[in-house]
Amino acid sequence: MRPCVSTLLFILLLVFSNGVYGQDEEENYNRPNSPLKDIKPTPKSLLCPKECTCTQEGVVDCAGVDLKEFPIELPEYTNHLSLQNNQIEEIPPEDLIRLYKLETLNLQNNRLTSRGIPDDLFEQLENLSYLYLANNKLTLAPRFLPNSLISADFAANYITKIYGMTFGHKPNLRSVYLHNNKLTDAGLPDNMFNQSNNVEIIIMSSNFLKYVPRNLPPALYKLHLKNNRLEKIPEGAFGHLLGLRELYLQNNLLSNDGMNNETFGKLNRLEYLDLSSNSLTHVPSGLPRNIVILHLEKNNIRSIADDVLTPVKNLEYLLLHNNRLRARGIHPAAFLGLKKLHTLHMYNNLLEKVPGGLPRRVKTLMLLHNQITGISKDDFNSTYFIEDLNLSYNKIMSSSVHKDAFRKLRLLKTLDMSGNKLKSIPYGLPKNLEILKLKENEIGSIPQDTLAGMSKLKELYLSFNKLKISSIYTGAWAELSNLQLLDLSTNQLTYVPSDLPETLEYLYLQSNRIATLSDSAFESTPNIKGIFLRFNLLTPETVKESAFYGLDKLQVLDIESHLALSKVTKQKKKEAEKEEEEEEEEEEEEEDGKR
Ligand SMILES: *[C@@H]1O[C@H](CO)[C@@H](O)[C@H](O)[C@H]1NC(C)=O
Ligand SMILES: *[C@@H]1O[C@H](CO)[C@@H](O)[C@H](O)[C@H]1NC(C)=O
Ligand SMILES: *[C@@H]1O[C@H](CO)[C@@H](O)[C@H](O)[C@H]1NC(C)=O
Ligand SMILES: *[C@@H]1O[C@H](CO)[C@@H](O)[C@H](O)[C@H]1NC(C)=O
Ligand SMILES: *[C@@H]1O[C@H](CO)[C@@H](O)[C@H](O)[C@H]1NC(C)=O
């Protein structure tokens, strides 16, 4: 319980008449004996609670000061009031209504309950524009809100019910945030935004809605309904939303039966549609032409008909990963004419081969985690623009990679075929590659000229294979005149490969069978910065210290500590370790910083 206003006035009078400054003692300590008439406290400064800061312009900040009750002695002319991050449970009407000039009221992250907010509390604040009540304990939305309202944030409460006048009849209302509540269809009024025709943003994600709310305002450009229980999009639900640009419907229970070819048909401005994590079995038809980003991942999509995507002329990103697509389920003309489509994700499907009719302008193609067994001659015969191709974790065998399969991929920079069944490096890999990943295969040999002409290659990953020195063609590395990183770890090498390119900076050779290190082991790589030799068969007797002489740039030498190394190399190693430690520390600090 709090003293009522008159008691408070009485106390104030008492304080003044006695010349005592209870709470303001500190401020006035230098003139304890001043006669009362000399003190001219401006009424403005007087009316600022001591926990808060108040400006003459009416901005009052009481955020995060552990208030348990709504402050009573606020200046009447307050127009922006910050009370977020406190522990306020209720708002006495008379204390709020005094603040008749209020435009912004921030009460986020308090302990307000619906019982603590009378039905008509806010309605009388005739200029209230921004009302923030997110992160409280409201179970019902306020029944009435002033029609001056521009933005209302009620997210993260326990709201089950909205009233007709909560958001209705608000001509200025632009944005409504209601995500993370407990709204069901029955908790919404018939016409939630009646006469509020200017609402542009509605966020109602993470509630329990089964249907898309009816009569959505026509000016809407952002509608978020993810994480609900939507099963069906009623006929015409989006028919009048001609300005809608962003529609989130992911993580619902939508099936193809819950929509038809007219559901999205009128959304001519729609650029972002997310239907991921639903129960679609095929790509819906009637998608509007201006969609740029289309999320269809994590459904049960098995087929793409010839005419469902082709009308979406502006499509740039198509995300179809984690579905049940087989190559034969994709119509050869499915991507025809999608000239802007540059990113296509089809990983984690059931593709048994590269689907035909890939979009011609695709730059990033993700086909990893499928069942692809080989690459045929014409699989990539018209996708000249691919830069990044990920075919990792399929079942590709070297004998099933056609030697001309990559002939058109002159722009390909990154190729990943890790985790397949390759027994040797395939012939005909694109010459302009910068990064080639072939780890976790069964590669036992690098046949003559398979790496020829790859003068742009910077990183080559061949770890977890079965390579022996003798099965690598002589001169293989020398051709890679730009190579900086070579990962040959976990193979069956018995020596450090010779003829490594001069540009090499990092050489990973750990977990091989290297037994000796000759003094010329790193002769050809004066720029090397990191050598990793742990878990080989080296002994103090078989390691020639002189192998490391002259490697001025060496920062990391990772080798078992029992190997006796000269002072020089030991010193190098120490430095390296120190640097690593420092880096680790830095990383840790960074991590901490993030937290
Ligand atoms: C509300 O805002 C209008 C326009 O800014 C202003 O003229 C009016 O005086 C304000 N009303 C109150 C009670 O402050
Ligand atoms: C919408 O508001 C108008 C005007 O006040 C009113 O006549 C009508 O009944 C309201 N409609 C609904 C569905 O609440
Ligand atoms: C939608 O499908 C129905 C039948 O399934 C068809 O009659 C109608 O023409 C289609 N509408 C559009 C816009 O494609
Ligand atoms: C690509 O290969 C397919 C299938 O063999 C063929 O029908 C098509 O004409 C070829 N396209 C080009 C551009 O060579
Ligand atoms: C290919 O995808 C795998 C799995 O997501 C990823 O780890 C790898 O880095 C990708 N390859 C490239 C070259 O980006």
Side-chain angles (χ1 to χ4, degrees):
M1 277 275 93
R2 325 188 286 117
C4 69
V5 177
S6 54
T7 329
L8 193 90
L9 270 179
F10 174 73
I11 294 171
L12 277 177
L13 284 174
L14 207 72
V15 164
F16 272 105
S17 58
N18 290 326
V20 177
Y21 294 86
Q23 301 183 331
D24 287 333
E25 223 161 25
E26 262 183 64
E27 228 172 79
N28 297 290
Y29 76 97
N30 54 349
R31 40 177 187 180
N33 299 319
S34 324
L36 183 62
K37 64 178 186 295
D38 282 358
I39 307 167
K40 290 176 192 146
T42 65
K44 286 180 180 181
S45 68
L46 191 106
L47 275 172
C48 191
K50 76 172 193 317
E51 304 89 344
C52 310
T53 54
C54 310
T55 72
Q56 301 209 343
E57 290 73 40
V59 178
V60 175
D61 184 359
C62 314
V65 294
D66 220 16
L67 291 178
K68 300 213 163 39
E69 289 177 350
F70 192 88
I72 33 177
E73 58 278 50
L74 293 171
E76 209 167 63
Y77 58 89
T78 304
N79 45 36
H80 298 285
L81 176 55
S82 297
L83 284 167
Q84 63 268 35
N85 309 327
N86 283 297
Q87 302 179 41
I88 300 169
E89 287 174 20
E90 58 178 344
I91 305 177
E94 65 277 12
D95 294 337
L96 186 66
I97 286 156
R98 266 183 62 236
L99 313 177
Y100 65 101
K101 291 194 156 182
L102 217 48
E103 290 170 26
T104 306
L105 176 55
N106 192 339
L107 283 160
Q108 283 191 67
N109 203 17
N110 275 285
R111 297 184 178 172
L112 290 165
T113 58
S114 292
R115 196 187 275 252
I117 298 184
D119 270 346
D120 55 354
L121 179 65
F122 302 108
E123 200 193 13
Q124 300 175 44
L125 301 170
E126 64 175 65
N127 272 0
L128 186 65
S129 305
Y130 299 91
L131 177 58
Y132 304 109
L133 285 166
N135 272 300
N136 277 287
K137 299 181 169 181
L138 304 182
T139 46
L140 306 170
R143 196 182 277 264
F144 303 103
L145 290 173
N147 55 18
S148 52
L149 203 64
I150 294 175
S151 181
D153 185 355
F154 297 167
N157 278 282
Y158 307 99
I159 298 175
T160 56
K161 191 159 174 58
I162 310 273
Y163 299 91
M165 290 301 285
T166 308
F167 301 116
H169 293 81
K170 312 273 182 285
N172 298 323
L173 191 60
R174 292 286 189 281
S175 49
V176 173
Y177 300 88
L178 282 166
H179 47 291
N180 290 74
N181 274 293
K182 297 190 177 296
L183 289 167
T184 57
D185 306 270
L188 306 185
D190 260 0
N191 195 350
M192 184 168 163
F193 298 98
N194 191 12
Q195 309 293 315
S196 297
N197 290 334
N198 293 309
V199 178
E200 294 172 341
I201 300 176
I202 297 178
I203 312 292
M204 293 179 78
S205 299
S206 301
N207 278 287
F208 302 118
L209 301 178
K210 271 177 131 172
Y211 295 96
V212 173
R214 279 178 293 173
N215 302 313
L216 290 167
L220 213 54
Y221 81 78
K222 198 188 262 203
L223 175 61
H224 290 193
L225 290 168
K226 68 172 177 179
N227 302 333
N228 273 285
R229 295 180 179 166
L230 300 178
E231 287 171 10
K232 193 173 164 60
I233 303 173
E235 200 99 355
F238 302 137
H240 57 298
L241 304 180
L242 305 183
L244 195 67
R245 296 230 291 273
E246 186 178 289
L247 179 55
Y248 282 14
L249 291 168
Q250 64 267 39
N251 211 2
N252 277 292
L253 304 167
L254 291 166
S255 65
N256 290 93
D257 293 338
M259 56 188 76
N260 64 29
N261 59 357
E262 283 166 13
T263 301
F264 305 105
K266 298 258 172 57
L267 303 176
N268 280 330
R269 291 274 180 84
L270 196 64
E271 290 175 11
Y272 189 110
L273 174 59
D274 196 334
L275 281 165
S276 63
S277 299
N278 276 288
S279 304
L280 302 177
T281 51
H282 51 271
V283 176
S285 57
L287 294 173
R289 63 174 289 136
N290 285 318
I291 296 179
V292 174
I293 304 180
L294 179 57
H295 283 272
L296 290 168
E297 72 270 20
K298 300 188 184 166
N299 277 283
N300 279 312
I301 296 177
R302 290 157 191 271
S303 68
I304 311 178
D306 60 342
D307 54 355
V308 291
L309 288 171
T310 49
V312 192
K313 296 284 181 224
N314 279 328
L315 198 57
E316 292 183 31
Y317 298 83
L318 176 57
L319 306 161
L320 280 164
H321 49 276
N322 295 74
N323 276 293
R324 305 189 62 78
L325 285 166
R326 290 172 204 276
R328 61 172 181 273
I330 302 173
H331 193 280
F335 304 114
L336 206 64
L338 298 177
K339 289 189 179 149
K340 295 185 177 173
L341 184 56
H342 56 69
T343 301
L344 177 55
H345 288 190
M346 293 207 280
Y347 56 86
N348 272 316
N349 274 284
L350 302 169
L351 299 173
E352 69 287 6
K353 59 179 186 140
V354 177
L358 288 171
R360 280 166 170 257
R361 306 285 175 122
V362 70
K363 282 187 179 171
T364 300
L365 181 58
M366 296 289 149
L367 293 172
L368 53 147
H369 288 289
N370 277 288
Q371 316 277 334
I372 300 170
T373 53
I375 316 277
S376 313
K377 186 177 176 199
D378 285 331
D379 281 353
F380 299 113
N381 71 353
S382 46
T383 49
Y384 313 122
F385 299 95
I386 301 188
E387 291 175 10
D388 189 357
L389 176 57
N390 200 330
L391 284 162
S392 59
Y393 304 99
N394 276 285
K395 298 179 172 171
I396 302 171
M397 294 175 287
S398 359
S399 56
S400 315
V401 179
H402 193 280
K403 68 177 178 15
D404 294 329
F406 298 109
R407 67 191 181 283
K408 296 286 174 67
L409 306 185
R410 305 230 169 90
L411 301 177
L412 195 64
K413 290 196 176 83
T414 305
L415 175 61
D416 196 339
M417 292 179 74
S418 301
N420 278 286
K421 300 192 163 173
L422 302 176
K423 290 209 154 60
S424 61
I425 294 195
Y427 281 99
L429 291 178
K431 300 294 174 216
N432 290 331
L433 282 180
E434 291 174 14
I435 298 176
L436 175 57
K437 295 194 177 181
L438 294 169
K439 57 187 184 184
E440 293 175 54
N441 277 283
E442 296 155 21
I443 298 175
S445 75
I446 304 186
Q448 190 70 36
D449 291 341
T450 46
L451 297 174
M454 290 200 193
S455 59
K456 294 186 178 160
L457 198 65
K458 290 198 181 111
E459 300 177 13
L460 176 55
Y461 299 85
L462 282 162
S463 52
F464 293 94
N465 278 295
K466 299 181 172 169
L467 284 167
K468 298 191 168 85
I469 291 286
S470 59
S471 55
I472 302 173
Y473 75 96
T474 317
W477 315 118
E479 319 204 35
L480 307 176
S481 54
N482 260 308
L483 197 67
Q484 291 169 3
L485 184 156
L486 178 58
D487 187 352
L488 287 164
S489 60
T490 319
N491 274 284
Q492 301 169 11
L493 304 179
T494 44
Y495 300 97
V496 175
S498 53
D499 296 329
L500 292 171
E502 197 181 318
T503 46
L504 199 65
E505 294 180 353
Y506 293 93
L507 178 60
Y508 297 87
L509 289 169
Q510 66 271 32
S511 302
N512 274 284
R513 299 176 186 167
I514 299 172
T516 61
L517 206 57
S518 76
D519 54 4
S520 62
F522 305 109
E523 205 170 41
S524 65
T525 55
N527 295 305
I528 199 117
K529 291 181 180 166
I531 302 175
F532 300 82
L533 278 166
R534 213 174 267 267
F535 308 119
N536 275 288
L537 304 172
L538 295 167
T539 65
E541 292 71 38
T542 60
V543 176
K544 282 274 198 302
E545 297 156 13
S546 50
F548 302 104
Y549 289 173
L551 301 180
D552 293 337
K553 299 190 177 153
L554 192 62
Q555 294 165 357
V556 182
L557 173 58
D558 187 40
I559 193 167
E560 280 90 349
S561 54
H562 72 272
L563 295 175
L565 296 170
S566 77
K567 271 188 185 157
V568 184
T569 49
K570 267 188 190 160
Q571 182 59 28
K572 276 251 153 71
K573 189 164 167 277
K574 255 188 215 154
E575 278 170 21
E577 275 173 358
K578 204 171 143 216
E579 238 167 73
E580 265 194 340
E581 265 168 34
E582 277 169 9
E583 266 172 31
E584 267 168 31
E585 270 165 31
E586 270 167 34
E587 270 166 29
E588 271 167 28
E589 272 165 30
E590 263 176 42
E591 292 274 298
D592 284 346
K594 273 180 217 155
R595 269 182 230 127

